[in-house]
Amino acid sequence: DWSSDVCSSDLDAAQRDDRIRCGLWVSPKRTDAERNAKALALAGEPGVAALKTSFLLGGHPSDPACKPQLEQIFATAREHGLVVHIHTSPGAASDIDQVGQLVEEYAGPDGVPIHLVHLGGGMSGHMKLIGGRLFDWIERGFQVYTDTSWTIGFAPAWLVREIERRGVGHDRILFATDAPWGDFEGEYARLKAAAGDGALADAFFHENFSALYG
């Protein structure tokens, strides 16, 4: 819901409790330009940490009709030091093959931090993202992050092995859950089992969030 009442309620919560961060929903669709303007007007408010967008409801990263809204979203994020959340899921416009275009265009060494939600999204997304692409971006200096919500069983263990093998990425992974649609207990247990009890677990569960979102 993009209503100003809901935005104000979420923002009020973030401003009352420093454990809470507010993310503003924005859309890549040309038809949502007016709604975007209202949401982005709140970008400079205390407590706002991210702009979140998705292509599930329409639009495409390479569609010229989406370019003006995407440019405005990333320009606003840069101006206010915000992270851009991008939903990932297998296939169609949310596939990592597609949203990866936005990483290449906007998250370079001097770019805007991009948080790829759901670790690439599903089995194919996990394989594409942690099978190399994430670590390649990091080694090129890109400001790219991801989280472990909706991860399939093999992914956390594979992720940890790749971090150890490549020597990068420990500071780019955040534990997250998609509650109430996700499986908090399972998501937590899988990542905890893979990360152990040391510095890597501290980074995933605490430190990386604090570093990225304050």
Side-chain angles (χ1 to χ4, degrees):
D1 190 329
W2 288 29
S3 73
S4 59
D5 289 341
V6 172
C7 288
S8 296
S9 176
D10 293 344
L11 186 55
D12 288 345
Q15 292 176 344
R16 287 196 306 268
D17 190 333
D18 63 8
R19 298 173 302 172
I20 298 173
R21 300 293 182 269
C22 176
L24 301 172
W25 267 100
V26 288
S27 169
K29 295 166 58 180
R30 177 175 53 193
T31 53
D32 288 325
E34 185 176 345
R35 292 177 174 180
N36 281 345
K38 292 178 180 178
L40 294 174
L42 300 173
E45 291 288 330
V48 174
L51 305 176
K52 182 170 183 178
T53 194
S54 171
F55 296 93
L56 285 180
L57 301 178
H60 194 284
S62 61
D63 183 355
C66 293
K67 187 69 171 179
Q69 295 308 309
L70 289 171
E71 286 285 325
Q72 185 177 16
I73 289 166
F74 280 95
T76 302
R78 180 187 292 276
E79 178 184 355
H80 295 285
L82 306 179
V83 180
V84 175
H85 283 210
I86 303 176
H87 171 88
T88 63
S89 59
S94 293
D95 191 274
I96 197 65
D97 288 338
Q98 306 305 326
V99 299
Q101 298 176 50
L102 300 181
V103 176
E104 291 283 350
E105 184 167 359
Y106 294 106
D110 297 319
V112 173
I114 290 181
H115 179 156
L116 298 171
V117 179
H118 304 322
L119 200 69
M123 180 178 290
S124 64
H126 297 341
M127 295 176 73
K128 290 175 183 179
L129 187 62
I130 64 177
R133 212 167 304 187
L134 174 67
F135 301 100
D136 293 343
W137 280 327
I138 294 170
E139 288 176 347
R140 290 168 59 194
F142 279 51
Q143 303 301 305
V144 60
Y145 299 79
T146 190
D147 67 61
T148 57
S149 59
W150 276 109
T151 51
I152 296 173
F154 73 91
W158 184 14
L159 174 62
V160 169
R161 286 197 298 270
E162 286 300 294
I163 289 172
E164 292 172 344
R165 185 178 73 85
R166 305 249 331 221
V168 296
H170 61 281
D171 56 346
R172 304 302 182 92
I173 312 299
L174 289 75
F175 170 74
T177 182
D178 204 26
W181 300 277
D183 168 29
F184 172 81
E185 289 80 7
E187 290 163 342
Y188 178 84
R190 284 191 292 274
L191 188 59
K192 186 68 173 176
D197 297 316
L200 193 59
D202 289 341
F204 289 169
F205 289 105
H206 305 289
E207 294 170 2
N208 293 346
F209 180 90
S210 295
L212 184 58
Y213 294 107

